[in-house]
Amino acid sequence: MNQINIQYYKTKYAEFILGSFKNKLCLLDFKYRKMRTTVDNRLKTGFKAEFVEQDDEILKDTRKQLDEYFNMERKVFDIPIITIGTDFQKCVWKALLKVPYGTTSTYLQLAKDIDNEKAVRAVASANGANSIAFIIPCHRIIGSNGNLTGYGGGLALKKRLIKLEQNLFTI
């Protein structure tokens, strides 16, 4: 049986669960999100692996880069990642990677970016299934009317992250 190394990491923003598989980050998510079991089971099934609480270099580097991000010292992550999802989800996540730091986009624009304008709800669902927060920046996606919409870490955190990236406050 393969293993996914996991570690829990608490910051002043939230508590996270981090996971690596074969020297790539596969999990950077909120410890207490509603979809926790769904996301974890998708990873375990997809990699045919079990979670083992064990640290490694990828997880150490992820914690370091997260700290830099939260301290406004990092805008781009350079950690190797691996995702498990449908082809559609992977397409959406790839499009999310193109949304620049300090900007936002909408679910509709993301659907247009993948040449599937009618798939707005499916895009939103794929966005919510993202298991690598911050690096695949699902927090940068807002409603077409400018309102903040669902986020695994909660809307208050989503608002805080958007402000952080737009340097609207200092920590």
Side-chain angles (χ1 to χ4, degrees):
M1 184 58 91
N2 292 316
Q3 80 178 41
I4 299 168
N5 293 337
I6 65 159
Q7 289 284 288
Y8 296 98
Y9 187 53
K10 186 174 183 174
T11 70
K12 60 185 167 187
Y13 285 88
E15 283 190 66
F16 301 100
I17 179 172
L18 312 175
S20 71
F21 181 75
K22 295 190 176 180
N23 295 314
K24 291 185 180 178
L25 188 72
C26 64
L27 181 62
L28 167 48
D29 207 354
F30 302 97
K31 185 176 178 183
Y32 300 109
R33 77 180 278 197
K34 289 178 186 172
M35 291 180 60
R36 174 81 280 122
T37 302
T38 303
V39 170
D40 293 350
N41 287 340
R42 185 178 77 231
L43 293 173
K44 289 175 185 178
T45 300
F47 291 128
K48 296 178 178 64
E50 289 298 322
F51 283 179
V52 176
E53 200 164 336
Q54 180 175 311
D55 209 2
D56 63 31
E57 289 307 311
I58 291 292
L59 299 179
K60 288 175 187 173
D61 197 28
T62 300
R63 290 191 300 271
K64 178 181 177 284
Q65 290 191 30
L66 266 179
D67 288 344
E68 292 167 352
Y69 170 82
F70 290 135
N71 289 324
M72 295 188 290
E73 297 164 353
R74 174 175 291 276
K75 294 181 179 181
V76 177
F77 293 89
D78 60 7
I79 296 167
I81 62 172
I82 186 170
T83 57
I84 289 288
T86 66
D87 289 343
F88 181 81
Q89 288 171 326
K90 288 179 179 183
C91 182
V92 171
W93 299 334
K94 188 176 180 183
L96 278 169
L97 288 167
K98 296 176 183 173
V99 179
Y101 181 96
T103 67
T104 57
S105 188
T106 65
Y107 296 102
L108 176 59
Q109 184 58 54
L110 207 52
K112 289 177 180 177
D113 291 346
I114 64 167
D115 297 321
N116 199 343
E117 186 174 343
K118 295 185 182 204
V120 175
R121 285 182 181 217
V123 163
S125 179
N127 200 50
N130 174 25
S131 66
I132 307 178
F134 308 106
I135 295 173
I136 299 176
C138 52
H139 63 280
R140 295 180 188 151
I141 306 303
I142 60 176
S144 294
N145 60 4
N147 289 341
L148 298 185
T149 55
Y151 186 58
L155 292 182
L157 179 58
K158 184 173 188 169
K159 181 177 183 179
R160 215 171 149 198
L161 294 171
I162 290 170
K163 285 184 174 186
L164 170 88
E165 290 190 4
Q166 294 173 345
N167 292 314
L168 297 176
F169 67 88
T170 53
I171 302 169

